[in-house]
Amino acid sequence: MAELPPNLNFAATEEEICARWAKEGTFKTQDLLSQERGDEIFTFYDGPPFATGLPHYGHILAGTIKDTVTRYACMSGKSVERRAGWDCHGLPVEYEIDQKLNITHRDQVLEMGIDKYNETCRSIVTRYTKEWEETVTRLGRWIDFENDYKTMDPTFMESVWWVFGQLYEKGLVYQGYKVMPYSTACTTPLSNFEAGLNYKDVRDPAVVVSFPVVGETDVSFVAWTTTPWTLPSNLALCVHPEMEYVKIFDKKSDKKYYLAKSRLSQLFPVINSKKWKPAMAADLYEIQETLVGKDLVGKRYEPIFGFFADTPEAKNYFRVLSDTYVTDDAGTGIVHQAPAFGEDDYRVCLANGVISKGDEIPCPVDASGLFTDPVEPVKGIHVKEADGKLIQLIKESGRLVQKDNLDHSYPFCWRSDTPLIYKAVPSWFVKVEEIRDKIVANNKLTYWVPSTVGEGRFHAWLKDARDWAVSRNRFWGTPLPIWASEDMTEIVCISSIDQLEELSGVRVDDLHRETVDQITIPSKNNPGTVLKRVDEVFDCWFESGSMPYAQQHYPFENKETFEKGFPADFIAEGLDQTRGWFYTLMVLSTALFDKPAFKNLICNGLVLASDGKKMSKRLKNYPDPKLVINQYGADALRMYLINSPVVRAEPLKFQESGVLGVVKEVFLPWYNAFRFFLQNVERHEARGCKFVPSIEKVRATTNATDIWISAATQGLIKFVHEEMAAYRLYTVMPALVTFVTQLTNWYVRLNRDRLKGMEGEGGKAEDEAETGLQVLYDVLLDVTILMGPFTPFVTEYFYQHLRKLQPSYEDAMGGGGAKNPVMPGKSDSVHFLKLPSYDDTRLNSEAVEAMEALQSVVEQARIIREKRNISLRTPIKSVVAIFRDPSDTVINGITGPLKKYILSEVNAWDFHVVPTNMAHEWITLSLTPDFSILGRKLGKKMKAVQAHISKMTHEDAVDCLKNGELVIDDVTIDATSELIAKYSFSREGDHWEATSTPHGSLVVAVDTTQDEAILSAGKARELMNHIQQLRKSAGLDLSDVVEVFFEEGADVNSAETAVAMNLPLFQAKFKRGAIPVPKRLAPPETVVLRSDTVDVGGSNVVVSICRPSLSVSSDLDVLAVNYMSTLDPENVNGSITFSIDGKTYDLQEGKDYWKSAFAKAVATEALDWLN
């Protein structure tokens, strides 16, 4: 065990563990052991990612959360299928192929052939699966890539058909003509939730255009729009029926306009300026008529363009309508209507007979967003690029009233990153609105972390959910299983391959368009004719929403398995999936089974670049995940991500320094404690004491710190189980981090000498060491297993060393380590084990409370040292603590068994706690109102109450807290919850320095007097520290005995005085070596192991650590002296007899020789201060 390196390379170690896991099939073995035991099923759904790109921090974060929860479930006695899945269809793939093949129009795909196009798509969908597998595996995530599912698998696609078929049978499917978000780059409509995925701030032209009123000379309606490209398709104008409108005369343009009275500022912006005065209106306009919106309904106007003025349907066009969706927060209060490009426009025009359901709508824009006939002036130009030309035409016609720019948030295609438009397209819909109440009700059956997302954002989205357009006019996807007659009067919805064969006579083994498009079904209604498949494919979100069923090929296979495990116990993805995967899962599960698809969900926030911006490959504003993992290790990255706000759906600004911080602040201290433990077990066993873990010895300990750390460990185990049951990773990780700090910075440090066998004498010291090692082993093993799901690599590393100390380790031989029953030692991996259950008998809140008090005292004393600039090596005379309402347990603890630790930690000579009845001699108790509570409660009375409280004496405050309430006139205040109590130090004397905890319940005072004894003790500590550093630099072990000598300049005795005045301190510290003595007492033959010039109290001192040698009497001759210099003091005792050149010497210890220079100095009284 001594071969453990001082600094572990965590990343390299993880790679070795990864290799061993792969070689030994550790992940598979964990699953097999679980199945063999018949563990309870825990169902987990993994949302399928696209493998057309490499994993980023968002994937790593979600993967870490999923892995942590599923590992925890496995180690809690659950059987968890963790199956990888891949989203293979849809826009991400097609867009990339379109870019690659320079395809800009769907006709190009048809010319190329759908079969060739789809084959090209198929060729890239798994392009990065190997890279994904490498990254995910290196991250420590256990998920089955061999038994993965793909949305392009025929089995998966058949289940998607079944899902749709069920919806069709329930009457939840219809074909409609609807204005939808539309991607011109991808030539397909998007769902509303897709449209919400990628908003950007943009600048668009904003124009006000006039519409001359038919029958009224020189009078026009004026409408404002930020989409001038929709004006060629204008069919109507809309006003609010109850809004107040005016007809004005614009004195500058000499024209008359109708607009909302509240929107006059649109034409006259000065109205919104600070210099505006109502009297100025007379110079700008004159109101000629006031009326409400419904009075304008029916008025006709001249179209701005005449492209659709001569059609038969034009008799219904170009008139004023009304609807309450019109607002006066912008524009003119009159909205132009282009039903082909606006959802409200379509609805209002349909309701008012401008257009008819099923009829063609004027839509002069093709699938790629290019203008077509009859808009000849901009034909072939993309709509967003045509604004300028159209505005110029409007200006030339005299109809442009105002032109400006508007900065606003606008939806972009989430895949192509191009602006979306709204466009009327035929589509197949799922009737979400019809089952919306059920969806909302099912969501209430689910548990979300954080709850604010499920109850807020997601709930709000569900209660306003609209019918879902599930079809896409694309090629690479699961085809809609609808076969229909040309006039759509006869429709068949296919639910399986068998059904398709039954109706068509054709058996297929693939369901993509190139296979099924040519299949026809004989018509039952019109014999001799056939039904053909409709053109569309499914939206890929429909496929991912179907994954609970399709990954199992339900209901065609695994029916019982699926139904036992549905709904899923757990899912997790990012906040963006509230309108994506979470939504589609909930819609389909409700439509199919009237159940939620999942029971528990963790929703993570977004990982941003360090500057708060979105991570961008182009900007290179974030470190490569692979480089971070290779530098710091996957465990450090995992812990950094989980121990951050991102786990409770808040954004995280990724800082590489944060990952490094985990290594430095958690892993290195944890490793050092682990290494320190193993070193001392080895030291203990080197003395002939076999270390065998014993829980009985742990329970039997009476050491206060042992009892505390055991109680803290059991408390941690209890807390982790409670919080993980509630899926609150964001509370678990801080607790784990805090515990590691408690273990390394407090328990190990307080017991360092004890664990080294340096506390007590002889066998007692070793007994104490073993007890401490037993406790530390128990803690390390429990925490190692407990943290297995969170940091799988470092815990595996620790376990592989800790298991060797278990008697059952021998049972691992011959494959036993991969068999049930699992147990520490025998089992080959920490991940085979069951998480520890807390031991209620070892929970000890009193011990924990006492230790918290100790730490508070120590931390406050250190603050005082810093304030007075007193080195920790310089002792302080006295530390005094004043607690508010301390428990007897705390007082007995810190003045009893814990007192020595306080004295040691703060390097103090004395410590005591002031009794409560004496506190007034040291501190003053003051009360202040808790304004956050009392401000609302008292209102205007607050000022008088505050004045009363501020005048209260120390005695008044004590009585108030004792009584539990404060009564002021007719106001009763709860002293516990509505007042804040705080101690302040009030004892006189400049030698006192005091500080208090932030909450004011503890005051610590230090006597900072610096006399000769104090300063001398400080120098002694400095010299001790230098000696320890020399031992360390010489590479000595704890058991190595050395002699120490020091040498000072002429007439300087700083170091010697320090040793002389603090001899008991050195005797206690250097039991296994000699007390430092002046260099003049060293034997001439002494071998120096390490020497250095150091500073002790401002003086230069040469300190040397030397190999032990015998010190002999000055009466011996040279031959005897030379012979004695060859002997090892460890092997010499009592009388020594030897002969040289025929002369026999018989030397006696204590007369002719001594085992050390220190022993000789004591015996010969060579140093006054040793007498």
Side-chain angles (χ1 to χ4, degrees):
M1 294 181 183
E3 76 277 3
L4 292 176
N7 295 298
L8 184 67
N9 185 327
F10 291 99
T13 300
E14 288 177 356
E15 290 180 1
E16 293 171 6
I17 292 171
C18 265
R20 186 169 73 247
W21 282 347
K23 180 181 178 182
E24 298 177 1
T26 311
F27 170 34
K28 288 183 178 178
T29 302
Q30 185 196 55
D31 272 351
L32 289 172
L33 290 171
S34 176
Q35 292 166 19
E36 183 183 289
R37 292 191 299 265
D39 289 348
E40 179 185 350
I41 298 295
F42 181 93
T43 306
F44 161 67
Y45 294 154
D46 192 17
F50 287 102
T52 50
L54 294 172
H56 53 65
Y57 285 106
H59 297 119
I60 289 172
L61 166 63
T64 298
I65 293 171
K66 296 170 187 177
D67 187 60
T68 300
V69 172
T70 53
R71 279 182 181 273
Y72 178 86
C74 285
M75 294 180 72
S76 299
K78 302 290 196 301
S79 178
V80 187
E81 182 181 56
R82 288 158 282 179
R83 190 177 176 198
W86 305 105
D87 211 340
C88 304
H89 290 145
L91 285 183
V93 181
E94 289 202 32
Y95 182 73
E96 189 166 336
I97 294 304
D98 289 350
Q99 297 291 101
K100 177 182 177 181
L101 301 180
N102 197 28
I103 292 173
T104 59
H105 199 281
R106 65 182 282 112
D107 289 344
Q108 293 173 268
V109 177
L110 297 174
E111 290 174 14
M112 172 186 182
I114 295 175
D115 56 341
K116 293 185 176 63
Y117 182 82
N118 278 359
E119 190 56 41
T120 309
C121 290
R122 190 190 299 271
S123 70
I124 72 162
V125 292
T126 58
R127 179 174 57 198
Y128 291 121
T129 52
K130 281 298 175 189
E131 286 83 350
W132 269 81
E133 185 172 351
E134 288 172 7
T135 300
V136 169
T137 302
R138 179 61 188 86
L139 188 67
R141 184 180 179 195
W142 279 359
I143 188 164
D144 189 351
F145 285 102
E146 291 181 12
N147 184 36
D148 61 359
Y149 70 86
K150 300 179 182 69
T151 60
M152 67 179 183
D153 292 340
T155 53
F156 191 99
M157 296 170 72
E158 185 177 24
S159 289
V160 173
W161 275 18
W162 174 84
V163 170
F164 187 75
Q166 293 298 297
L167 270 54
Y168 188 86
E169 286 182 17
K170 292 172 182 279
L172 294 176
V173 174
Y174 70 94
Q175 186 182 32
Y177 199 62
K178 196 169 186 178
V179 176
M180 298 176 60
Y182 188 88
S183 171
T184 58
C186 297
T187 64
T188 189
L190 304 181
S191 61
N192 283 313
F193 57 81
E194 285 177 298
L197 295 176
N198 187 21
Y199 267 82
K200 293 188 177 185
D201 291 332
V202 298
R203 172 167 290 186
D204 277 325
V207 296
V208 176
V209 181
S210 65
F211 296 83
V213 182
V214 175
E216 295 189 37
T217 307
D218 297 329
V219 182
S220 298
F221 297 110
V222 283
W224 174 81
T225 182
T226 58
T227 53
W229 63 268
T230 63
L231 288 169
S233 305
N234 169 264
L235 299 186
L237 297 174
C238 190
V239 297
H240 191 290
E242 304 303 328
M243 195 181 293
E244 193 173 25
Y245 288 82
V246 292
K247 180 168 74 173
I248 67 162
F249 174 67
D250 182 352
K251 296 184 177 181
K252 183 177 180 181
S253 67
D254 203 29
K255 293 183 178 179
K256 298 174 185 178
Y257 300 125
Y258 281 113
L259 76 162
K261 186 176 183 180
S262 58
R263 292 305 305 159
L264 284 166
S265 58
Q266 180 66 49
L267 296 187
F268 309 105
V270 69
I271 292 175
N272 288 332
S273 69
K274 290 183 179 180
K275 64 181 181 179
W276 172 255
K277 295 179 181 178
M280 298 167 61
D283 297 329
L284 299 177
Y285 60 84
E286 174 190 335
I287 296 179
Q288 296 185 337
E289 186 180 357
T290 301
L291 59 169
V292 292
K294 61 186 176 182
D295 297 331
L296 297 173
V297 173
K299 287 183 180 288
R300 304 190 73 83
Y301 62 88
E302 296 177 15
I304 195 162
F305 293 107
F307 300 128
F308 301 103
D310 298 327
T311 62
E313 296 81 13
K315 63 182 182 294
N316 298 319
Y317 301 164
F318 314 126
R319 53 193 172 93
V320 178
L321 318 173
S322 71
D323 192 89
T324 55
Y325 92 91
V326 177
T327 66
D328 64 352
D329 55 359
T332 65
I334 300 176
V335 182
H336 115 80
Q337 305 289 287
F341 303 111
E343 195 169 2
D344 283 315
D345 307 37
Y346 181 87
R347 176 182 59 80
V348 172
C349 287
L350 187 64
N352 288 275
V354 176
I355 59 175
S356 300
K357 201 166 187 177
D359 290 348
E360 287 285 327
I361 309 172
C363 182
V365 176
D366 70 9
S368 298
L370 307 180
F371 272 108
T372 61
D373 291 328
V375 189
E376 194 63 36
V378 287
K379 183 178 178 181
I381 299 176
H382 191 275
V383 293
K384 298 296 283 186
E385 296 172 2
D387 281 339
K389 175 68 173 175
L390 291 169
I391 292 171
Q392 182 61 34
L393 291 173
I394 295 168
K395 183 178 181 181
E396 291 172 1
S397 68
R399 304 280 287 273
L400 184 64
V401 177
Q402 192 179 72
K403 179 181 180 296
D404 203 349
N405 289 311
L406 176 71
D407 295 323
H408 64 141
S409 185
Y410 191 84
F412 276 60
C413 175
W414 64 277
R415 195 65 223 172
S416 64
D417 209 31
T418 56
L420 298 177
I421 64 172
Y422 280 79
K423 187 174 184 289
V425 291
S427 189
W428 290 87
F429 293 86
V430 171
K431 294 180 182 178
V432 173
E433 294 167 37
E434 188 173 302
I435 60 171
R436 185 163 53 199
D437 291 345
K438 291 183 177 181
I439 298 172
V440 171
N442 280 330
N443 182 51
K444 292 179 180 178
L445 301 177
T446 62
Y447 176 79
W448 287 64
V449 176
S451 60
T452 51
V453 178
E455 296 169 3
R457 180 176 179 145
F458 192 61
H459 173 78
W461 179 254
L462 292 181
K463 70 184 181 66
D464 292 327
R466 301 176 185 178
D467 288 354
W468 174 18
V470 297
S471 61
R472 296 290 180 266
N473 301 99
R474 299 300 301 177
F475 307 96
W476 177 241
T478 300
L480 257 70
I482 291 178
W483 271 256
S485 59
E486 194 170 337
D487 60 3
M488 299 299 292
T489 58
E490 184 180 358
I491 298 176
V492 173
C493 182
I494 301 296
S495 296
S496 67
I497 292 174
D498 286 346
Q499 185 185 7
L500 179 62
E501 181 183 20
E502 179 186 338
L503 295 179
S504 70
V506 179
R507 183 75 182 179
V508 295
D509 56 10
D510 181 67
L511 295 178
H512 287 93
R513 285 194 61 174
E514 62 270 26
T515 304
V516 300
D517 276 8
Q518 62 266 32
I519 296 175
T520 61
I521 295 175
S523 170
K524 290 184 179 180
N525 296 348
N526 296 291
T529 63
V530 295
L531 310 183
K532 295 182 179 179
R533 199 192 70 81
V534 298
D535 189 59
E536 295 91 341
V537 298
F538 279 109
D539 167 18
C540 60
W541 291 100
F542 189 90
E543 295 179 318
S544 58
S546 301
M547 67 76 57
Y549 331 104
Q551 70 164 343
Q552 299 274 9
H553 195 208
Y554 180 84
F556 310 103
E557 295 182 79
N558 307 306
K559 194 171 188 295
E560 184 179 349
T561 300
F562 166 77
E563 290 173 357
K564 277 185 179 178
F566 183 82
D569 290 288
F570 167 69
I571 66 170
E573 289 295 343
L575 188 62
D576 54 332
Q577 295 301 325
T578 52
R579 296 184 175 186
W581 190 50
F582 301 156
Y583 175 73
T584 61
L585 283 174
M586 189 67 77
V587 169
L588 293 182
S589 65
T590 300
L592 291 171
F593 303 111
D594 194 16
K595 291 181 180 180
F598 51 86
K599 300 174 186 174
N600 303 287
L601 182 153
I602 295 178
C603 182
N604 63 264
L606 300 179
V607 184
L608 306 174
S610 59
D611 58 5
K613 296 179 180 177
K614 187 176 179 180
M615 288 186 170
S616 166
K617 291 181 182 177
R618 179 177 58 82
L619 295 176
K620 296 181 179 178
N621 60 351
Y622 64 92
D624 185 329
K626 282 188 176 180
L627 296 179
V628 170
I629 293 172
N630 290 340
Q631 178 72 26
Y632 308 109
D635 276 346
L637 179 57
R638 288 170 66 114
M639 181 171 273
Y640 170 71
L641 291 173
I642 297 178
N643 192 31
S644 76
V646 79
V647 185
R648 50 181 188 269
E650 297 173 17
L652 167 67
K653 296 178 182 178
F654 186 88
Q655 304 280 351
E656 187 174 348
S657 59
V659 186
L660 173 60
V662 172
V663 175
K664 292 169 66 175
E665 296 165 21
V666 181
F667 289 167
L668 282 176
W670 190 9
Y671 173 72
N672 288 337
F674 161 76
R675 182 170 179 265
F676 178 73
F677 164 77
L678 291 181
Q679 286 174 330
N680 282 283
V681 166
E682 191 172 66
R683 177 202 58 76
H684 179 72
E685 292 190 332
R687 297 176 63 85
C689 308
K690 176 69 175 173
F691 181 86
V692 179
S694 168
I695 192 63
E696 289 75 21
K697 290 183 179 179
V698 174
R699 290 196 173 107
T701 182
T702 58
N703 180 280
T705 58
D706 289 349
I707 295 169
W708 159 67
I709 197 65
S710 290
T713 304
Q714 299 309 308
L716 175 70
I717 295 169
K718 182 174 185 285
F719 178 81
V720 169
H721 286 314
E722 290 172 348
E723 294 303 288
M724 285 301 291
Y727 294 89
R728 288 190 289 262
L729 272 69
Y730 57 86
T731 61
V732 170
M733 289 312 298
L736 290 171
V737 172
T738 299
F739 181 83
V740 170
T741 302
Q742 292 285 306
L743 175 65
T744 58
N745 287 5
W746 289 99
Y747 180 77
V748 172
R749 191 174 75 240
L750 293 178
N751 289 279
R752 186 168 288 275
D753 285 350
R754 175 180 171 228
L755 295 168
K756 290 178 181 178
M758 296 173 63
E759 193 170 285
E761 297 294 336
K764 182 181 177 183
E766 210 53 58
D767 289 344
E768 269 300 306
E770 190 200 359
T771 299
L773 291 172
Q774 289 284 358
V775 171
L776 185 52
Y777 178 83
D778 182 63
V779 170
L780 285 172
L781 184 63
D782 271 349
V783 175
T784 293
I785 300 171
L786 188 67
M787 287 195 70
F790 303 91
T791 53
F793 291 109
V794 71
T795 51
E796 184 75 288
Y797 178 82
F798 289 164
Y799 173 72
Q800 293 303 330
H801 288 277
L802 295 173
R803 68 184 290 218
K804 295 174 183 176
L805 298 173
Q806 289 281 347
S808 68
Y809 178 60
E810 295 180 0
D811 297 337
M813 304 302 120
K819 294 179 180 179
N820 282 314
V822 296
M823 65 181 70
K826 171 200 167 189
S827 295
D828 284 342
S829 172
V830 69
H831 303 292
F832 296 167
L833 303 176
K834 193 170 182 181
L835 293 169
S837 300
Y838 72 93
D839 182 349
D840 191 51
T841 64
R842 292 161 67 195
L843 290 173
N844 190 324
S845 60
E846 295 177 346
V848 172
E849 188 180 353
M851 194 64 192
E852 287 173 351
L854 175 150
Q855 292 174 6
S856 294
V857 170
V858 169
E859 287 162 358
Q860 296 306 310
R862 287 173 180 167
I863 291 172
I864 293 172
R865 279 183 172 277
E866 291 176 7
K867 287 172 70 174
R868 285 292 183 105
N869 198 26
I870 302 173
S871 167
L872 190 57
R873 294 189 190 119
T874 301
I876 48 181
K877 281 196 169 184
S878 176
V879 176
V880 177
I882 306 100
F883 288 90
R884 185 172 73 237
D885 298 327
S887 68
D888 291 341
T889 303
V890 168
I891 300 304
N892 294 337
I894 62 177
T895 58
L898 293 177
K899 181 176 179 177
K900 65 178 181 178
Y901 297 109
I902 294 176
L903 295 176
S904 173
E905 281 299 294
V906 301
N907 191 12
W909 288 355
D910 187 32
F911 167 74
H912 73 274
V913 176
V914 175
T916 302
N917 62 353
M918 302 290 290
H920 64 280
E921 297 180 7
W922 293 82
I923 53 90
T924 299
L925 175 64
S926 61
L927 302 177
T928 56
D930 188 335
F931 291 100
S932 64
I933 298 174
L934 289 179
R936 293 191 302 271
K937 175 179 175 180
L938 302 181
K940 293 181 179 179
K941 295 180 181 179
M942 185 70 247
K943 189 172 183 180
V945 169
Q946 182 182 0
H948 180 95
I949 294 174
S950 65
K951 294 177 183 177
M952 292 174 67
T953 64
H954 171 84
E955 290 74 16
D956 293 336
V958 171
D959 290 341
C960 174
L961 293 182
K962 185 176 181 181
N963 295 332
E965 65 180 22
L966 176 65
V967 179
I968 304 172
D969 296 330
D970 61 340
V971 175
T972 300
I973 298 170
D974 185 88
T976 304
S977 62
E978 297 177 336
L979 294 176
I980 299 171
K982 192 167 185 178
Y983 277 167
S984 56
F985 190 72
S986 57
R987 193 175 184 87
E988 295 182 358
D990 292 340
H991 61 292
W992 289 107
E993 182 70 58
T995 185
S996 63
T997 53
H999 43 75
S1001 61
L1002 166 66
V1003 173
V1004 173
V1006 169
D1007 181 347
T1008 61
T1009 301
Q1010 297 283 286
D1011 55 21
E1012 183 181 357
I1014 289 287
L1015 296 174
S1016 173
K1019 293 176 185 178
R1021 290 267 186 175
E1022 288 182 21
L1023 182 57
M1024 286 180 181
N1025 183 64
H1026 291 311
I1027 293 170
Q1028 295 288 57
Q1029 292 301 317
L1030 282 172
R1031 287 181 62 94
K1032 187 175 181 180
S1033 62
L1036 299 179
D1037 290 333
L1038 294 172
S1039 58
D1040 292 331
V1041 178
V1042 295
E1043 290 191 85
V1044 182
F1045 301 98
F1046 58 84
E1047 185 175 15
E1048 302 178 87
D1051 301 322
V1052 178
N1053 62 353
S1054 177
E1056 187 168 353
T1057 301
V1059 176
M1061 294 184 68
N1062 297 277
L1063 190 58
L1065 197 63
F1066 283 94
Q1067 289 173 326
K1069 188 70 176 176
F1070 297 115
K1071 294 174 184 175
R1072 300 192 184 283
I1075 305 301
V1077 294
K1079 180 71 178 292
R1080 64 180 182 274
L1081 301 182
E1085 302 81 8
T1086 296
V1087 177
V1088 176
L1089 299 175
R1090 185 75 76 177
S1091 182
D1092 197 8
T1093 301
V1094 300
D1095 181 280
V1096 177
S1099 299
N1100 287 332
V1101 181
V1102 178
V1103 180
S1104 304
I1105 56 172
C1106 305
R1107 182 177 297 151
S1109 60
L1110 298 174
S1111 284
V1112 298
S1113 169
S1114 58
D1115 296 335
L1116 294 185
D1117 60 30
V1118 174
L1119 290 175
V1121 169
N1122 289 341
Y1123 174 79
M1124 294 294 285
S1125 69
T1126 65
L1127 301 181
D1128 184 348
E1130 285 287 318
N1131 300 324
V1132 176
N1133 284 296
S1135 175
I1136 301 175
T1137 303
F1138 58 91
S1139 298
I1140 302 176
D1141 294 337
K1143 183 178 179 180
T1144 298
Y1145 297 85
D1146 186 9
L1147 307 182
Q1148 300 297 317
E1149 182 180 0
K1151 175 187 174 186
D1152 302 305
Y1153 77 92
W1154 295 265
K1155 286 194 173 184
S1156 68
F1158 176 78
K1160 179 181 178 182
V1162 171
T1164 61
E1165 300 183 350
L1167 296 170
D1168 294 340
W1169 45 271
L1170 288 178
N1171 296 332

